[in-house]
Amino acid sequence: MNSEVVYLPKEAITEAVRQFETPFFLYEEKKLRENCRNFRDSFRKYFPSFQPLYAVKANANPAVLKIVMDEEFDFDASSSSETWLTQKLGKAGMFTGNYTTAAELKLAKDAGYMLNLDDITMIPFLKEIGVPEFMSLRINPGVGNATIESNVFAGPNAKYGVPFERAAEAYKALADLGVKRFGIHMMTGSNVPIKEKTYFANIVRKLLEVVADIKQKTGIEIELLNMGGGFGVPYRPEEDSLNMDEIAHSVREAFDEQCVKYGLKEPQLMAEPGRFITADAGFLVGKVTVIKDSYKKFVGIDASSNDMPRPSIYDAYHHASVIKLGVDDGKKEVVSIVGTICENNDQLAKDRELPVCEIGDIVVIHNSGGHAYAMGHNYNGKVRHAEYLLGLDGQFKKIRRAETIEDLYSTIIW
């Protein structure tokens, strides 16, 4: 059983429930920093100039972003709001949108971001916004992988990136506009299965083949290679965790092999983890409000899929724990944890063997620190809930208040 999946800061969560109205998200600063250092230091062991970029889309709370910044990360932004937010924090990185307007690119350029274009058709936009000295292109290397089909970001069915066969043509177009320095990027999957131990090395090999082809056909040297993200985390207790040192070492071997084979000057390496940094550092905490005996037993809680939509969107598995407020007699039963959204897929945990619940017991949904609040919504007029940070000093800090019904209608013209 993976201790990282089942880990539960029980005392802290119980104390938070005493202090704050449920439901809420709780993030652990200690775990956030551990994840940052594991990722950063594993790659810098083999690539001293390695620069990590945190994927803002995973969790965009400024308190989380400040911790990540403090751990020497820059940012991977993909929208104007992410650009705006990180500009307020005084940090940039690489901007990778898709089907992006010239106005969005200009905003990112003015904020100090390196621009990473998703398609050849965007290159003429540079005439409108001013041609940067440095430019990068997102390449579709023709292969991709993920735990679910909708998160495969490369290959013939993916909407992302310049087909690798046209890469040299695209870089020549950039050079013809006056771009002087060049990077290259790929993002081939999300939450790539942990069993795929050679996956990242293999996609880097493929991208370095593209780098070699660009150099051979255009003479352009790529000075920065962003291998993207997709670093998987375990959601089920029986799943293993990625050994980041093994991943980084295998990528080092891929660099050594391909740079020698093709006579390449080694580009600086970047990568852009998101969920790997934040997922297991966050918990969605709710209380049992209704217990229903029907064809099966349903335990209703005050959190719903509007708070953490992954199970309803992807049928994704999240580990669930029950903290008994009364006497725990050790008895268990099979139940489904559900919310109050008027959709049957509002089931946060299906058919789980859990302690027998009573009204008022605490239910915790694990791995809710990444792509949870960030994907939340207001369907059924549901408000989204507060976020708290458990600091290194053991104190709680409110980092986002709960929405109100008035917030939902604040933009309406009555």
Side-chain angles (χ1 to χ4, degrees):
M1 181 173 289
N2 192 323
S3 61
E4 292 182 9
V5 177
V6 301
Y7 165 69
L8 185 71
K10 184 176 178 180
E11 291 184 6
I13 288 175
T14 304
E15 179 58 32
V17 170
R18 291 194 187 102
Q19 294 187 32
F20 312 124
E21 182 180 357
T22 59
F24 57 79
F25 289 89
L26 181 66
Y27 308 121
E28 273 196 305
E29 180 178 358
K30 180 174 181 285
K31 186 59 176 172
L32 283 169
R33 291 187 182 277
E34 287 175 354
N35 291 345
C36 286
R37 292 168 187 176
N38 177 22
F39 191 88
R40 179 197 69 203
D41 295 345
S42 293
F43 275 98
R44 285 190 178 168
K45 176 180 175 181
Y46 302 101
F47 299 87
S49 65
F50 174 74
Q51 181 56 52
L53 309 171
Y54 171 69
V56 179
K57 63 178 73 68
N59 186 322
N61 191 292
V64 171
L65 300 184
K66 288 176 182 177
I67 291 170
V68 173
M69 286 170 55
D70 191 49
E71 294 296 337
E72 303 176 25
F73 279 61
D74 292 339
F75 291 129
D76 157 47
S78 59
S79 70
S80 292
S81 62
E82 292 174 5
T83 299
W84 178 88
L85 174 60
T86 54
Q87 188 175 26
K88 288 183 72 70
L89 297 175
K91 179 69 76 171
M94 179 172 280
F95 180 89
T96 307
N98 63 97
Y99 303 85
T100 314
T101 67
E104 289 176 295
L105 291 173
K106 186 176 188 308
L107 181 66
K109 176 176 175 282
D110 292 346
Y113 274 91
M114 296 178 283
L115 299 185
N116 184 43
L117 300 185
D118 184 68
D119 190 57
I120 293 174
T121 57
M122 295 179 186
I123 293 176
F125 291 169
L126 301 181
K127 297 177 183 178
E128 299 180 40
I129 68 173
V131 178
E133 179 180 332
F134 176 93
M135 282 296 304
S136 179
L137 290 172
R138 176 174 182 165
I139 301 300
N140 183 335
V143 293
N145 203 345
T147 51
I148 55 178
E149 180 63 26
S150 62
N151 278 347
V152 175
F153 294 153
N157 293 321
K159 71 169 186 171
Y160 306 99
V162 178
F164 71 92
E165 298 91 342
R166 300 188 66 190
E169 170 193 347
Y171 278 92
K172 183 177 185 305
L174 288 176
D176 290 344
L177 275 183
V179 176
K180 304 298 183 186
R181 299 168 49 231
F182 302 90
I184 196 166
H185 169 275
M186 64 180 170
M187 175 67 180
T188 59
S190 180
N191 201 39
V192 172
I194 291 155
K195 63 183 179 180
E196 303 282 354
K197 296 183 182 299
T198 62
Y199 179 77
F200 293 100
N202 287 340
I203 60 173
V204 166
R205 283 189 180 90
K206 176 67 175 179
L207 194 59
L208 284 167
E209 288 177 6
V210 178
V211 169
D213 185 66
I214 293 166
K215 179 181 177 183
Q216 192 272 326
K217 291 178 178 176
T218 69
I220 290 172
E221 293 266 11
I222 301 296
E223 65 179 67
L224 186 154
L225 185 150
N226 183 343
M227 62 181 286
F231 300 92
V233 300
Y235 284 94
R236 297 176 181 269
E238 65 270 20
E239 293 176 338
D240 293 329
S241 299
L242 275 180
N243 184 320
M244 197 50 62
D245 183 81
E246 287 183 358
I247 298 295
H249 181 257
S250 68
V251 172
R252 175 70 268 171
E253 291 181 330
F255 261 69
D256 291 343
E257 172 190 310
Q258 298 295 71
C259 288
V260 169
K261 180 178 180 179
Y262 294 109
L264 299 174
K265 180 180 178 181
E266 180 173 311
Q268 180 187 10
L269 180 64
M270 287 184 169
E272 47 192 43
R275 85 178 70 226
F276 187 87
I277 302 300
T278 57
D280 66 358
F283 303 88
L284 175 58
V285 181
K287 280 185 180 178
V288 177
T289 56
V290 176
I291 298 175
K292 179 179 181 178
D293 277 307
S294 184
Y295 295 105
K296 59 168 57 175
K297 195 160 191 178
F298 296 96
V299 173
I301 64 174
D302 51 6
S304 299
S305 58
N306 70 300
D307 293 300
M308 206 276 288
R310 294 190 73 255
S312 63
I313 296 174
Y314 304 129
D315 196 27
Y317 182 100
H318 280 254
H319 190 64
S321 294
V322 174
I323 300 176
K324 299 286 295 179
L325 293 185
V327 176
D328 186 354
D329 59 9
K331 293 182 179 178
K332 294 187 176 183
E333 60 183 348
V334 175
V335 301
S336 292
I337 306 296
V338 301
T340 59
I341 298 290
C342 295
E343 297 287 340
N344 197 49
N345 62 3
D346 182 23
Q347 302 195 31
L348 296 166
K350 296 179 183 178
D351 302 323
R352 306 288 178 84
E353 187 178 54
L354 294 169
V356 175
C357 290
E358 299 175 286
I359 303 299
D361 284 344
I362 302 167
V363 173
V364 182
I365 308 299
H366 297 234
N367 269 312
S368 293
H371 302 285
Y373 190 100
M375 296 179 71
H377 56 79
N378 298 114
Y379 179 62
N380 266 180
K382 296 292 185 180
V383 298
R384 293 193 289 169
H385 295 99
E387 294 175 293
Y388 296 91
L389 179 70
L390 177 60
L392 296 177
D393 59 2
Q395 300 300 305
F396 299 109
K397 179 183 178 182
K398 180 184 282 190
I399 58 175
R400 191 194 304 265
R401 68 166 174 83
E403 289 180 336
T404 65
I405 293 174
E406 289 79 8
D407 288 332
L408 298 187
Y409 299 99
S410 62
T411 59
I412 296 293
I413 300 173
W414 294 93

